[in-house]
């Protein structure tokens, strides 16, 4: 029987050989460029400082992000279907939402407008996370699915770590 590392390597080899699956496994990682956690903390402490040391602002920004994360896929589901083509287009739309959201947050003269950007950022990221998972479930053979998801989360964790470090 194969060991855990061999199973993981088999999953990585599958991802490497199947370009489509390989690209889908990068969706979550690419969404970590410009960590929301760090930007929200900086804005709360230095830009829209409401509450003790910006705690109210930070709470509002995380709440807005969470609202976006919930409503993003729900709204997107109203406009499309479950075909791989639609899911890929929705992921592209999610990637468009993220820099647009950062632009809104970056130029926002008021906290309410910055919160709109936080909702949009949460929506784009959630669409990408949800739909990339669905695409993997649709395209990866069952016996490799857990291995591919392990690789997907490993790459995501590496991207989060690098983003926070930078």
């Amino acid at each position: 029987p194969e060991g855990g590392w061999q199973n993981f390597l088999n999953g990585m080899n599958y991802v490497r050989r199947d370009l489509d699956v390989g690209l889908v496994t990068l969706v979550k990682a690419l969404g970590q460029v410009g960590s929301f956690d760090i930007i929200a903390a900086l804005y709360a402490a230095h830009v829209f400082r409401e509450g003790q040391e910006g705690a109210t602002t930070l709470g509002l920004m995380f709440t807005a992000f969470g609202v976006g994360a919930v409503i993003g896929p729900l709204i997107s589901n109203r406009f499309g279907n479950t075909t791989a083509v639609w899911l890929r287009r929705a992921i592209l739309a999610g990637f468009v939402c993220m820099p647009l959201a950062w632009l809104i947050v970056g130029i926002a003269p008021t906290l309410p407008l910055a919160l709109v950007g936080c909702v949009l950022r949460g929506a784009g990221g959630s669409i990408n996370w949800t739909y990339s998972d669905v695409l993997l479930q649709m395209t990866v053979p069952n016996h490799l699915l857990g291995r591919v998801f392990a690789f997907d989360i490993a790459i995501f964790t590496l991207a989060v770590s690098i983003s926070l470090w930078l």
Side-chain angles (χ1 to χ4, degrees):
E2 295 178 345
W5 279 109
Q6 186 58 50
N7 285 336
F8 183 74
L9 292 174
N10 290 344
M12 282 186 12
N13 285 332
Y14 177 79
V15 169
R16 184 177 49 81
R17 285 190 310 268
D18 188 320
L19 179 62
D20 186 49
V21 170
L23 291 173
V24 173
T25 62
L26 295 177
V27 167
K28 292 177 190 75
L30 292 172
Q32 295 314 299
V33 175
S35 169
F36 180 81
D37 298 345
I38 298 296
I39 292 172
L42 291 172
Y43 263 70
H46 301 291
V47 180
F48 299 115
R49 193 176 175 143
E50 299 291 334
Q52 185 177 353
E53 298 180 2
T56 301
T57 298
L58 186 62
L60 289 171
M61 291 181 83
F62 275 117
T63 299
F65 182 90
V67 167
V70 170
I71 66 171
L74 293 176
I75 292 171
S76 182
N77 286 344
R78 296 254 185 217
F79 294 101
N81 53 47
T82 57
T83 64
V85 170
W86 162 253
L87 295 172
R88 285 185 186 93
R89 287 180 183 158
I91 288 171
L92 179 60
F95 275 121
V96 169
C97 286
M98 289 191 276
L100 180 59
W102 287 136
L103 177 64
I104 293 169
V105 170
I107 65 172
T110 64
L111 179 57
L113 186 56
L115 295 177
V116 169
C118 293
V119 170
L120 187 59
R121 173 59 181 87
S126 184
I127 288 168
N128 286 359
W129 187 286
T130 304
Y131 291 173
S132 67
D133 279 352
V134 172
L135 275 172
L136 290 177
Q137 291 172 19
M138 289 171 56
T139 57
V140 175
N142 286 340
H143 71 281
L144 291 172
L145 194 54
R147 298 166 195 172
V148 171
F149 272 119
F151 179 74
D152 184 36
I153 296 301
I155 294 298
F156 164 76
T157 303
L158 179 63
V160 167
S161 300
I162 290 170
S163 181
L164 292 174
W165 180 72
L166 291 174

